[in-house]
Amino acid sequence: MLAPLPPIAVAALAPVSITASSGPVTATLSATGAAGDTSITGATGIRVTIARNGAIAFSGPLRPCRFGCEPDDPTGARFAEIAVADLDGDADPEVLVDRADGFTPCCTLETAILRRNPATGAYSELDRHWGESYRISDLDGDHRAELVTADLRFYERFAPRVAGFQLPLKILQLRGAALVDVTRAHPASIRRHAASLSRLIRSTDAIADGRRPGSRPIARAALRPQLAAYVAEERLLGRRAVGNTRVAHEVARGRVTAGFRRALLRFLARLGYR
């Protein structure tokens, strides 16, 4: 005979739901788990219901997640959150369900975007693996949202996570049924991020040279992902020579190796940072 579950376990296994609304759309995320204001932890058996002006327009499960799932339920999530936002500026909000493990600093976050086809009225699911995070922002004031995130392809490419995982900026926009990379169309955002990386590199240089307290070996390892992200962003801005000169300076000072420079330049070219 099974022993009764403790109260916390009973609460964690309860059917729960959370709701988000915007304009004519109200979306409800239902699962078995533990609910907060806008999130469910330990969620299994996830279902999404979308009502438009009070009438049900969609009700069903999401596709199995890939990264933040509950171990025994690929349709569930360790951490799930729901939001409603107009991503493409057509006054018809999309529904976003974030799923992650809730613990790993990088890179389990993925989002299911449920978008209504204006011709048929049917909802379809578009999935995106972000990794660490993303935010929704209208960067240029055109009333069409941008999804601001980072280029996950750089994660742990040049140093382990313990040394830091600075990543180049990536900006996407929902156009029709696809997310389109519009990073180069937002140079002001890239410049700000590149400037912050430049400041971080100077600070890390000082530790690597012994001018500031800290672990010199860790600082030298941390310089590699910092430089990779910085050089990538300088190329997005059309300033290839600026990034190349910065890396050459670091090689000349012995903070990174010539081998790292060669590997970085090949990697950038392969990814389209030219």
Side-chain angles (χ1 to χ4, degrees):
M1 183 175 180
L2 293 176
L5 292 171
I8 188 169
V10 172
L13 295 175
V16 293
S17 63
I18 54 176
T19 299
S21 300
S22 178
V25 174
T26 297
T28 301
L29 181 67
S30 303
T32 297
D37 290 339
T38 61
S39 63
I40 300 175
T41 56
T44 59
I46 286 178
R47 290 184 66 86
V48 177
T49 302
I50 303 173
R52 295 176 54 81
N53 297 312
I56 301 300
F58 174 88
S59 183
L62 298 174
R63 294 173 186 156
C65 74
R66 295 170 294 165
F67 303 98
C69 313
E70 275 292 285
D72 298 326
D73 183 2
T75 65
R78 297 285 184 88
F79 176 87
E81 188 167 16
I82 193 165
V84 180
D86 182 4
L87 299 181
D88 54 9
D90 64 354
D92 191 355
E94 283 70 40
V95 175
L96 299 90
V97 180
D98 292 342
R99 292 183 285 185
D101 70 8
F103 301 103
T104 306
C106 189
C107 294
T108 68
L109 178 62
E110 57 187 298
T111 299
I113 301 174
L114 296 170
R115 172 188 173 271
R116 180 175 176 268
N117 185 321
T120 65
Y123 276 86
S124 60
E125 179 180 340
L126 172 64
D127 297 308
R128 176 73 189 190
H129 176 212
W130 304 106
E132 181 190 9
S133 65
Y134 74 98
R135 63 184 174 89
I136 301 171
S137 180
D138 183 3
L139 296 176
D140 49 15
D142 66 352
H143 305 295
R144 295 188 63 185
E146 283 78 36
L147 298 153
V148 184
T149 184
D151 191 337
L152 192 58
R153 296 173 295 178
F154 284 69
Y155 176 63
E156 288 196 314
R157 179 63 181 77
F158 294 105
R161 187 178 67 199
V162 293
F165 53 93
Q166 283 71 35
L167 309 173
L169 200 64
K170 181 178 284 291
I171 303 170
L172 304 173
Q173 193 170 67
L174 181 65
R175 295 183 179 175
L179 289 171
V180 178
D181 188 337
V182 294
T183 310
R184 292 178 187 268
H186 298 277
S189 296
I190 301 169
R191 280 194 294 269
R192 285 192 296 271
H193 197 257
S196 70
L197 285 170
S198 181
R199 291 191 295 271
L200 179 61
I201 290 169
R202 288 197 297 270
S203 177
T204 307
D205 280 345
I207 298 172
D209 292 344
R211 291 178 283 119
R212 289 183 55 189
S215 169
R216 297 180 69 180
I218 291 178
R220 293 189 180 204
L223 274 173
R224 297 197 294 271
Q226 292 171 15
L227 282 167
Y230 172 78
V231 174
E233 292 187 340
E234 289 294 355
R235 292 186 175 210
L236 289 174
L237 293 168
R239 303 191 306 208
R240 178 185 177 120
V242 173
N244 288 355
T245 299
R246 187 70 170 265
V247 176
H249 174 74
E250 298 293 329
V251 172
R253 295 297 300 268
R255 300 181 186 124
V256 297
T257 66
F260 161 75
R261 177 172 58 183
R262 289 192 296 271
L264 172 59
L265 297 182
R266 288 195 299 267
F267 179 71
L268 292 172
R270 188 165 69 250
L271 267 54
Y273 288 92
R274 303 184 184 279

